Amino acid sequence: MTPNLLSSTLESQQNWLITTHKGPDGDAVGSVVAWAAYAKRCGKDHLILFPDQPAAYLCPFLEGYNWEVFTTDKDYKGDLLFALDYNSSSRLGEEMSVWFDSQTLIKVMFDHHPNPADFVQIPVSIPTSCSTTEVIYRVLEDLGQRDQIDIHVAKGLYLGLLTDTGSFRFPSVSAQTHRMAAHLLDLGLEHHLIHEAIYDVNSVTRLQLRGYAIAEKLQLFPNYRIGIMSLSKDDLKRFDYQKGDTEGLVNVILSIEGYDLGVFLMETEDGVKLSFRSKGQRFVNTFAQAHFNGGGHQYAAGGFLAADLKTTLAKLESLLVEM
Ligand code: 5GP
Ligand code: MN
């Protein structure tokens, strides 16, 4: 990154359009909240644009900010376009990526996914960072803006830190991550409220769906140390599925002794969304990219196949050796 270019760009442009990826998770929402809070702090106007509706448990974090779900009917006005927590416009989904690529404004990316595409003028990519909010924190430090981090910026930063590190447990967590968390707590951040808002928001049907997935829909392949969990459209309907209900479920597979690769499949109207998680020497992003139109990090990746669940499961099982 060239701090001077970024600094002068931020200073000279008034209307900030802030975007994040489809199916926004805690780091995506945390990043846009932190950046919108910083925009407010700098006296800038902001609009957060999501490709699709964030899960209900993340929406309280957006209170007090201007945010919308993208639609092709509208003409969004801005001077600066931010891409947070994604590294290629394809992560916006079909409609919003066409819009993003056709915009002639200056585009800035803050992200931590490896191998970013060349799709913005000012890319800040730190693949060793545990979360995009850690990248944003470092950007603010590099810009000499550490003092501008107030409690509102801190809330967004902590949300991404917490969720993208599996509550501070993944190998991506560094001493620097904890120093950052300590700084946020020094600002008066009530970290327990954020943990509660993320992890203690189960509905009865959400818990039952998760229990059912573990009890009835988990296939184990001990020879390969792989577990595959899948939920069909009917399963989701039966337990009144709400967005976010399956978040983190794939990690349950990795918690089984002797298993170090987990795949979670969820059937949707258009096809099957896949989530891959791994540990140790097994990396999943290249596999997701090669076979399921996806990508991500070494230990956490995702993909999508426009097929039904049965077909997708069969394809996956035919690839067990490669995995
Ligand atoms: P999740 O399983 O939580 O949906 O995604 C895990 C990781 O994989 C995230 O870091 C996300 O950025 C990445 N990822 C998920 N889906 C896709 C996809 O369709 N394409 C790419 N390139 N990355 C994805
Ligand atoms: Mn992230």
Side-chain angles (χ1 to χ4, degrees), residues 40 98 115 205 273:
K40 277 185 155 184
V98 170
N115 310 314
T205 49
K273 163 94 183 83

Side-chain angles (χ1 to χ4, degrees), residues 21-298:
H21 59 81
K22 208 173 166 184
D25 56 6
D27 193 28
V29 171
S31 295
V32 299
V33 164
W35 201 247
Y38 176 66
K40 277 185 155 184
R41 181 102 187 159
C42 300
K44 306 289 181 181
D45 299 320
H46 74 271
L47 175 63
I48 300 167
L49 279 179
F50 291 104
D52 54 355
Q53 176 75 23
Y57 75 98
L58 291 170
C59 289
F61 290 93
L62 290 159
E63 270 166 32
Y65 301 98
N66 300 320
W67 66 277
E68 284 181 28
V69 175
F70 174 82
T71 154
T72 47
D73 312 336
K74 271 198 179 170
D75 186 18
Y76 299 102
K77 296 255 184 291
D79 315 310
L80 250 183
L81 187 48
F82 293 94
L84 307 188
D85 198 37
Y86 63 99
N87 64 357
S88 138
S89 50
S90 63
R91 297 281 288 121
L92 294 170
E94 216 160 298
E95 285 182 342
M96 192 165 161
S97 66
V98 170
W99 168 82
F100 187 98
D101 290 337
S102 69
Q103 296 301 302
T104 51
L105 13 160
I106 305 168
K107 299 170 191 170
V108 181
M109 175 192 81
F110 301 144
D111 183 54
H112 69 135
H113 295 92
N115 310 314
D118 182 12
F119 75 117
V120 301
Q121 289 92 330
I122 307 179
V124 182
S125 167
I126 312 178
T128 51
S129 278
C130 66
S131 64
T132 294
T133 62
E134 191 178 62
V135 174
I136 292 172
Y137 182 82
R138 283 169 74 172
V139 165
L140 291 173
E141 280 192 321
D142 289 350
L143 293 172
Q145 297 291 296
R146 193 182 148 93
D147 290 347
Q148 297 303 319
I149 300 175
D150 60 16
I151 187 74
H152 307 290
V153 178
K155 273 186 193 167
L157 293 177
Y158 192 87
L159 172 60
L161 211 53
L162 173 69
T163 53
D164 252 26
T165 60
S167 305
F168 299 93
R169 60 170 286 185
F170 296 152
S172 55
V173 172
S174 64
Q176 190 171 335
T177 312
H178 284 285
R179 276 193 286 271
M180 169 178 162
H183 175 198
L184 305 181
L185 265 59
D186 279 341
L187 294 170
L189 181 88
E190 294 180 286
H191 64 282
H192 61 281
L193 296 182
I194 299 184
H195 288 247
E196 282 167 25
I198 296 299
Y199 298 115
D200 299 347
V201 286
N202 281 316
S203 64
V204 173
T205 49
R206 183 182 201 254
L207 271 186
Q208 286 171 337
L209 174 69
R210 296 167 83 90
Y212 171 76
I214 296 167
E216 306 283 340
K217 305 302 295 275
L218 174 63
Q219 288 173 273
L220 295 173
F221 301 90
N223 294 342
Y224 298 103
R225 306 195 311 277
I226 294 173
I228 299 176
M229 194 187 280
S230 60
L231 289 171
S232 68
K233 283 188 284 191
D234 286 344
D235 295 333
L236 298 169
K237 208 165 135 195
R238 179 174 159 199
F239 292 99
D240 187 29
Y241 168 78
Q242 305 293 316
K243 217 169 196 172
D245 279 355
T246 59
E247 190 73 42
L249 198 46
V250 62
N251 295 308
V252 170
I253 304 170
L254 288 192
S255 75
I256 307 170
E257 228 180 340
Y259 287 79
D260 48 25
L261 203 160
V263 191
F264 175 75
L265 297 87
M266 188 167 86
E267 195 175 35
T268 69
E269 285 306 322
D270 323 312
V272 177
K273 163 94 183 83
L274 296 98
S275 283
F276 300 89
R277 296 291 186 277
S278 63
K279 52 189 180 185
Q281 295 306 308
R282 306 178 88 165
F283 302 146
V284 281
N285 51 350
T286 45
F287 180 83
Q289 190 173 13
H291 301 289
F292 293 99
N293 315 301
H297 310 277
Q298 289 177 337

